[in-house]
Amino acid sequence: MKSNQTLFDIHANSILAATYSDPSEVLADPVLSSLEKRCVLAAWASDAFAVENSPWLRQLPGSSTTIPVGRVLSALRDLDEEDDPPPLSGAPAVRPHMLEEPKLAVGF
């Protein structure tokens, strides 16, 4: 795979997701990296796998089990909590102090 290609392939990740019966199993898998877990869960949450007439449910190809999308999204939130915490909301951006005066443009 090229370094500039994305690791997200909905077909490959949905096949991998189909090996799990619950999103919590994805989180508990010690073999997958955080990025791989995120990709698998994102594929599982995708509208591509919404159950017809029940958009709050997801069903992966080959699986007889339906999972509420809320459980998949909850697993994604749990994964987010394992990562670095987000910056405080409403906090101003911190800009580095200028160490030297900006140079004047020539001709001005």
Side-chain angles (χ1 to χ4, degrees), residues 53-77:
N53 298 322
S54 300
W56 61 91
L57 295 175
R58 296 296 183 265
Q59 185 172 21
L60 295 169
S63 175
S64 60
T65 306
T66 58
I67 300 290
V69 72
R71 277 212 332 242
V72 181
L73 296 175
S74 177
L76 280 166
R77 280 190 298 276

Side-chain angles (χ1 to χ4, degrees), residues 13-14 16-20 43-44 49 58-65:
N13 288 306
S14 64
L16 182 56
T19 64
Y20 301 96
W44 204 337
F49 303 113
R58 296 296 183 265
Q59 185 172 21
L60 295 169
S63 175
S64 60
T65 306

Side-chain angles (χ1 to χ4, degrees), residues 4 7-8 21 23-24 30 34 38-39 48 52 67 69-70 73-74 86 96 99:
N4 62 351
L7 291 176
F8 188 80
S21 61
S24 63
S34 290
R38 190 174 315 284
C39 288
E52 189 173 347
I67 300 290
V69 72
L73 296 175
S74 177
L99 299 177

